[in-house]
Amino acid sequence: MPPKPTVHKLGDLQLQIMKVLWTNTEASVPEVHKALAEETELAYTTIATMLRKMEVKGLVKHRVEDRKFIYKPLVKEQEVSEKMSAHFVDRLFEGSLADMVSHLLSTHEVSREELVKIEKMVAARKKKL
């Protein structure tokens, strides 16, 4: 039996930190803290601790520059997005994309522009089949 693919289960703070790293390619703890300061009121030490935990999980790695830890992502944004969304669909909708879309359309406000965009995506996907 082949090994299960790794699913990166990121919490809210981990995802926010990863977004900073993906945007900046790499960043120090003070840079990550500053980038998140507008969204959260977390202590500098909380960010530092979370980055260390993320390094243990294999999500980031660091190098030392002028006595500062500079963190770099080890996983790509696209990879995390794909695996987290697939995991979400599998767990909540038993793998049914149609059920997920139906749920989202019935529980969220959707503008006419968004519906047109969705219809175009579906039409483009149909052409590939």
Side-chain angles (χ1 to χ4, degrees), residues 8 22 76-87:
H8 301 292
W22 288 324
K76 293 184 168 99
E77 185 173 12
Q78 180 73 21
E79 177 187 347
V80 171
S81 174
E82 286 174 8
K83 289 182 179 181
M84 285 182 73
S85 61
H87 182 71

Side-chain angles (χ1 to χ4, degrees), residues 34-125:
K34 183 179 178 184
L36 297 179
E38 292 178 15
E39 300 172 34
T40 64
E41 294 182 20
L42 295 170
Y44 173 91
T45 54
T46 302
I47 302 296
T49 300
M50 185 57 69
L51 279 161
R52 281 194 303 275
K53 289 179 178 181
M54 291 169 69
E55 187 165 21
V56 169
K57 288 175 86 174
L59 298 168
V60 299
K61 71 177 182 177
H62 80 274
R63 65 181 168 78
V64 180
E65 183 179 289
D66 298 328
R67 298 181 56 192
K68 275 197 259 186
F69 280 24
I70 308 296
Y71 286 90
K72 179 178 183 169
L74 290 178
V75 293
K76 293 184 168 99
E77 185 173 12
Q78 180 73 21
E79 177 187 347
V80 171
S81 174
E82 286 174 8
K83 289 182 179 181
M84 285 182 73
S85 61
H87 182 71
F88 172 77
V89 172
D90 288 343
R91 290 209 53 214
L92 289 177
F93 302 98
E94 297 177 354
S96 173
L97 190 56
D99 288 350
M100 185 194 77
V101 172
S102 173
H103 171 76
L104 293 173
L105 290 173
S106 65
T107 60
H108 289 76
E109 292 282 330
V110 183
S111 68
R112 181 171 295 282
E113 292 79 21
E114 284 180 303
L115 286 174
V116 168
K117 213 171 169 182
I118 292 167
E119 288 169 342
K120 286 180 181 178
M121 285 186 270
V122 169
R125 184 63 180 205

